Amino acid sequence: MDASSVFNAGFLAALFASGVRQSVPLIYGSVGDTLSEKSGVMGICIEGEMLFGAFFSYLFALRTGSLWAGVLMGAAAGMLSSVIVAVWSVLLRQDQAIVGIMFNIFAMGFTNFLNRLIFGTSNANISVETFSHIPIPGLSRLPFVGDVFFNQDILTYLSVLLAAVVYFVLAKTKLGLRLAAAGENPKAAQACGIRVARFRFLSYMFCGFSAGVAGASLTLSSVGTFTEAISAGRGFICLAIVILARWNPLMAVVAAFGFGSIQALQIRLQVLGSSLPYQFFVALPYLITVLVLVLAGRNIRAPRELGIPFERERR
Amino acid sequence: MKRHTKILSLALTLTLSAGMLAGCGGSPAGQSAAPASGGASSAVSDRSTVSKIAILLPGSITDESWNQTAYEGLMQIKDAGYEVAYTENVGSNDMEAVFRSYCEDGYDFVIGHGAQYGDACCRVAEDYPNVNFFITGNAPEDISEADLPANIMFADYRECEGAYVSGVVAALMTKSGKVGYVGGGNNTTQQSDKNAFIEGVASVSADVEVKTVITGTFDDSALGKETAIAMIEDGVDVILQTCDHTGLGVLEACSAEKVYCIGYTSDQSALVADGLCLTSMMVDIPYMISSQIDLIKAGGYGGQAFPGLHDGVVSMAAFSTEVSDDVAGQVNAVIDQIKSGELVITPNYNEN
């Protein structure tokens, strides 16, 4: 196989365009998780919240005929389900990892249950029209990058916008500073009059909101229908992306794009044909994630009180 | 205050885990009358009766495919008046435990839905000689035929015959000279499907190229869609998928990009617009499962069977309007050859 004839501009543009499509749910998940981790709450539950978002966005898009109604209800479902987690881990101060695992199992079972209750186990798979691609005038005509970045659907553009807004809030505003204080040194924050529990609760709800949109992007911009366990581990990849991106939402966009592109690459390598066992290709994105974490992860410092429940009375 | 919240959260945890457990099974509680394990009660075990049937499924009963059809087969048995139960998503670490718990609960016919349950079933079957077992796949290759427990029936059904015919269809319908196969994982059925598909294509033309991707998952429909898109970008214009939920994403991509596809397990033509789903390779799993009851009653249940196109367990769905009479005629000729035994498709389990 001649490498130069295969890896031409058309092939690469298609590869990176697929990388962008596959990164969208990861961007929403990791941006939401970045904000909530900054305030000290780990988003282990985004996997489950994505499932809620995916199911309800599909349900409402199908019943109302409006994709936007679907996205909104998906986000709302993600947010409401995150309230359960927030009550548990922030107000009742339970171990966030255990609550997270419990919640994810619950979310999987519960969305399956609702799916069967509402749609039954019949063979009639009903799908909705997915979001159409919106070429950005001018930019979409640029060679190479035009097709990759500026001919995507609306949820893709919004994901980058959301990352930019969260970056701005975290880095440039008083609100961001207070949020970080709740995650770095909640006692000092409390002494300054910051209501730590409230900050953590609300930032976790934002994480649920964002994970809900991530789920909606799976059903409404990719597949057009809900299938059980559709999140397929993406919530956990988001956690790795947050660490890789060192709690910087803009870097999270880059890392998610990297992961999506490697996923797109491994599929294409299989299509091109190879004598290597397929397991190598399937594992490739995860292998590279682990490698990058090991190699580039030396001086990574998480928010100091990340995952530690804050108790107001404790001295 | 602190203690109070702990109790509250413990209660929440218990409630939720109870909910999870309740979702896990259909077996009624209070069945303490387990069969005498070890066969101590009677030297000659009578296995020609059946009353309670359970099935272990590798996935969920809504996948419109492999698991759902097994569930339908089980429901047919239920409608015939038997007591049934099922457990979904039984992975390799739980297989033996789930087999044993059904045996202990008095189930006298336990089915493992897939070749991957063979090993665990062999370990369990010797401890419950009065229970009949059925595996919907080939017997473990590392156990010699003489050492297989007598109370297990293996249906090494020839799904690959359907995959071979699908290969013939794909090769006759492609315009670009490139066809694709999307698989889910590495069990023997999947491997023999892939290899038979390649053989079927080659039997029509040596010039048609086959592109294969194994996604490694049966659940990720979004990944399935991206996989199909990558193939279509490469010029593939007919795709066979054999991967349940992941395959639904493949069908979605074919529908959107106006490319031919071939369905799996059940007739999936309704899921794809404009007759693009040329046909489906179907395995009549409901029949394969429900017909076991009669075999048990006939006595001497166990051994290995190889049902395929000939027995009606494997079949092809009606062709879509896109398939010309000429092509349909050629395909039907191949099907007849396989049915008559003139053409023998040997399952090839090689991974590459």
Side-chain angles (χ1 to χ4, degrees):
Chain A
M1 183 191 328
D2 185 8
S4 60
S5 69
V6 168
F7 294 100
N8 55 27
F11 176 86
L12 291 176
L15 184 148
F16 287 121
S18 171
V20 170
R21 289 196 297 271
Q22 297 194 56
S23 68
V24 174
L26 302 178
I27 294 175
Y28 281 112
S30 52
V31 166
D33 184 43
T34 300
L35 191 103
S36 109
E37 290 205 5
K38 274 279 186 183
S39 79
V41 190
M42 276 189 291
I44 294 175
C45 309
I46 34 186
E47 175 79 5
E49 289 152 10
M50 257 188 213
L51 278 175
F52 274 106
F55 179 75
F56 282 99
S57 63
Y58 167 65
L59 177 67
F60 278 88
L62 189 70
R63 290 288 150 91
T64 62
S66 153
L67 289 177
W68 283 111
V71 173
L72 280 179
M73 291 313 291
M79 195 158 82
L80 281 177
S81 66
S82 74
V83 170
I84 307 174
V85 181
V87 166
W88 229 340
S89 57
V90 177
L91 296 187
L92 301 179
R93 298 186 291 271
Q94 296 306 302
D95 187 298
Q96 291 171 12
I98 292 174
V99 171
I101 292 165
M102 284 293 300
F103 176 81
N104 285 336
I105 298 172
F106 162 72
M108 168 92 91
F110 194 62
T111 49
N112 288 0
F113 165 72
L114 288 176
N115 185 37
R116 289 171 198 190
L117 190 72
I118 295 169
F119 298 104
T121 56
S122 78
N123 237 346
N125 180 344
I126 321 143
S127 61
V128 292
E129 282 292 312
T130 51
F131 278 106
S132 52
H133 286 207
I134 305 171
I136 293 187
L139 290 173
S140 67
R141 285 211 218 106
L142 290 172
F144 196 75
V145 289
D147 267 347
V148 176
F149 298 108
F150 302 113
N151 188 9
Q152 299 285 358
D153 66 15
I154 183 79
L155 287 183
T156 311
Y157 303 134
L158 286 180
S159 73
V160 180
L161 188 70
L162 183 77
V165 169
V166 170
Y167 173 80
F168 178 79
V169 168
L170 286 178
K172 309 282 179 199
T173 65
K174 207 189 248 178
L175 179 70
L177 203 61
R178 288 179 172 170
L179 229 140
E184 290 290 342
N185 194 338
K187 268 182 231 162
Q190 191 203 345
C192 298
I194 296 171
R195 292 173 154 177
V196 174
R198 176 182 291 185
F199 261 93
R200 287 186 166 186
F201 200 101
L202 291 176
S203 70
Y204 194 74
M205 278 175 70
F206 174 78
C207 178
F209 171 89
S210 195
V213 181
S217 78
L218 281 175
T219 51
L220 302 185
S221 67
S222 177
V223 190
T225 186
F226 175 82
T227 57
E228 292 181 2
I230 193 171
S231 54
R234 289 183 177 78
F236 301 115
I237 295 299
C238 291
L239 296 178
I241 286 173
V242 170
I243 298 169
L244 265 180
R246 303 183 183 218
W247 290 268
N248 177 338
L250 294 180
M251 289 305 290
V253 174
V254 176
F257 174 60
F259 185 87
S261 299
I262 297 167
Q263 187 73 270
L265 176 69
Q266 72 89 358
I267 298 171
R268 280 162 179 78
L269 289 179
Q270 285 198 58
V271 169
L272 290 175
S274 153
S275 53
L276 288 169
Y278 81 90
Q279 285 92 342
F280 170 77
F281 296 105
V282 171
L284 194 66
Y286 307 95
L287 207 68
I288 292 179
T289 306
V290 172
L291 271 181
V292 173
L293 268 176
V294 169
L295 294 178
R298 294 203 176 165
N299 301 315
I300 286 182
R301 204 188 62 81
R304 203 180 75 184
E305 297 272 302
L306 176 62
I308 301 169
F310 175 64
E311 233 172 301
R312 214 159 38 169
E313 292 90 353
R314 201 180 58 198
R315 297 284 166 232
Chain B
M1 175 64 193
K2 193 173 171 192
R3 198 187 159 141
H4 190 71
T5 54
K6 271 212 169 133
I7 292 170
L8 185 58
S9 56
L10 189 68
L12 267 171
T13 314
L14 284 175
T15 325
L16 282 180
S17 39
M20 275 163 51
L21 288 176
C24 287
S27 69
Q31 293 290 346
S32 53
S37 56
S41 59
S42 58
V44 185
S45 57
D46 178 30
R47 293 193 285 109
S48 62
T49 55
V50 57
S51 59
K52 291 172 74 181
I53 297 116
I55 186 164
L56 284 60
L57 301 169
S60 79
I61 59 167
T62 58
D63 66 353
E64 319 216 351
S65 196
W66 179 244
N67 296 287
Q68 185 162 337
T69 46
Y71 173 74
E72 284 160 9
L74 189 72
M75 289 304 110
Q76 288 178 6
I77 296 177
K78 187 185 180 193
D79 293 341
Y82 295 96
E83 194 179 330
V84 298
Y86 62 94
T87 307
E88 294 169 89
N89 299 310
V90 181
S92 45
N93 10 346
D94 303 329
M95 289 174 182
E96 198 171 328
V98 179
F99 268 123
R100 281 188 195 282
S101 66
Y102 274 125
C103 294
E104 291 293 336
D105 275 352
Y107 285 82
D108 47 16
F109 183 39
V110 185
I111 305 165
H113 191 39
Q116 66 267 42
Y117 292 101
D119 275 317
C121 188
C122 285
R123 287 197 295 275
V124 173
E126 281 165 353
D127 296 342
Y128 300 93
N130 293 333
V131 178
N132 288 307
F133 295 90
F134 179 47
I135 299 293
T136 53
N138 59 310
E141 287 168 59
D142 51 348
I143 302 176
S144 74
E145 215 174 314
D147 290 341
L148 291 172
N151 52 340
I152 309 180
M153 172 73 103
F154 293 94
D156 188 0
Y157 66 96
R158 296 294 191 227
E159 186 173 301
C160 54
E161 292 178 355
Y164 182 92
V165 176
S166 302
V168 173
V169 175
L172 290 172
M173 292 299 291
T174 180
K175 293 180 190 91
S176 66
K178 283 184 182 177
V179 299
Y181 167 80
V182 182
N186 71 334
N187 61 51
T188 49
T189 310
Q190 293 273 316
Q191 280 147 19
S192 58
D193 279 353
K194 179 179 121 180
N195 292 323
F197 179 72
I198 295 171
E199 273 177 50
V201 171
S203 76
V204 174
S205 161
D207 298 330
V208 176
E209 219 182 317
V210 185
K211 302 291 190 178
T212 62
V213 174
I214 312 296
T215 57
T217 163
F218 290 90
D219 284 325
D220 195 336
S221 41
L223 184 65
K225 185 174 183 186
E226 286 297 335
T227 304
I229 289 175
M231 282 187 166
I232 295 164
E233 282 166 3
D234 193 60
V236 167
D237 64 353
V238 188
I239 302 179
L240 166 71
Q241 57 81 16
T242 60
C243 45
D244 307 350
H245 278 147
T246 309
L248 289 179
V250 173
L251 299 184
E252 170 69 24
C254 290
S255 196
E257 306 282 334
K258 306 286 173 235
V259 161
Y260 291 142
C261 53
I262 298 171
Y264 177 56
T265 307
S266 58
D267 186 353
Q268 294 186 309
S269 57
L271 307 180
V272 187
D274 307 329
L276 291 167
C277 184
L278 300 172
T279 179
S280 298
M281 52 177 281
M282 306 193 291
V283 183
D284 195 343
I285 292 167
Y287 171 72
M288 187 162 80
I289 287 173
S290 60
S291 61
Q292 300 303 315
I293 302 291
D294 290 336
L295 294 178
I296 292 175
K297 286 182 174 164
Y301 188 75
Q304 296 186 71
F306 306 92
L309 281 168
H310 175 70
D311 314 78
V313 165
V314 177
S315 61
M316 302 303 290
F319 296 115
S320 85
T321 48
E322 294 283 311
V323 180
S324 67
D325 289 346
D326 178 38
V327 171
Q330 292 184 55
V331 175
N332 283 328
V334 173
I335 293 175
D336 289 339
Q337 279 179 6
I338 297 176
K339 277 185 180 171
S340 69
E342 197 180 321
L343 179 63
V344 179
I345 315 297
T346 335
N348 173 358
Y349 300 134
N350 287 337
E351 267 194 54
N352 277 309

